[in-house]
Amino acid sequence: MRPGDVLDPLVVPVTRTLIVAGAIAARDYQDVHHDAERAREKGSPDIFMNILTTNGLVGRYITDRFGPRAVLRAVSIRLGAPNYPGDTMTLTGTVTEVDGATVRVRVVGANGLGHHVTGTVTVDVPGDGPTGAPGDGPADVPDGAPREASR
């Protein structure tokens, strides 16, 4: 793995259930994340995803690509265009730095309105560090051993 490597994308259907379940799981009871009528009263066309759900999806994206032993060390994201029900968000990533077992990845999550999330994730990949193609999983999984598949 080296700077410039591009990770396989993750396509996330943005459903009403995902938005509401993510808000509830994060204990974010703001009405704009579960009540369409209240969201419209506040100027939004519909409910929209909260930042904690987005943060979780970014984390999932990285750990799915680097394998079950990957450890997130830092996640720095910024929201842009809202994720509304019925849209699709596609997460993409580009390796920007590799230092031993530590990898920094630039992440973008785009939907039909533009960039929903942009940011940087720092991940440690235990063992000999990241090797092979992005998505191969951790370097210390023996040949023939099962690897966690990307979703």
Side-chain angles (χ1 to χ4, degrees):
M1 174 143 320
R2 32 187 171 256
D5 284 350
V6 176
L7 306 182
D8 290 338
L10 173 66
V11 177
V12 179
V14 181
T15 65
R16 190 168 300 281
T17 300
L18 175 63
I19 293 169
V20 174
I24 290 169
R27 296 183 181 190
D28 182 348
Y29 303 115
Q30 292 291 319
D31 52 16
V32 295
H33 303 307
H34 65 86
D35 186 326
E37 184 178 324
R38 294 275 189 218
R40 282 190 288 278
E41 287 173 5
K42 293 181 177 181
S44 178
D46 205 338
I47 62 171
F48 54 90
M49 186 176 287
N50 71 356
I51 192 169
L52 296 172
T53 303
T54 299
N55 195 57
L57 289 168
V58 168
R60 170 192 162 191
Y61 173 62
I62 295 299
T63 58
D64 279 1
R65 273 36 190 186
F66 285 91
R69 298 198 55 210
V71 178
L72 298 176
R73 293 296 178 196
V75 178
S76 176
I77 61 171
R78 179 181 204 133
L79 292 183
N83 263 342
Y84 293 118
D87 206 344
T88 300
M89 177 177 66
T90 301
L91 288 159
T92 57
T94 304
V95 174
T96 60
E97 185 179 337
V98 178
D99 182 11
T102 302
V103 180
R104 181 164 289 151
V105 180
R106 175 81 176 143
V107 176
V108 174
N111 62 29
L113 298 173
H115 288 172
H116 168 67
V117 63
T118 56
T120 303
V121 177
T122 303
V123 59
D124 285 347
V125 184
D128 296 331
T131 60
D136 278 352
D140 60 346
V141 173
D143 287 341
R147 296 179 186 263
E148 183 176 341
S150 296
R151 293 177 213 170

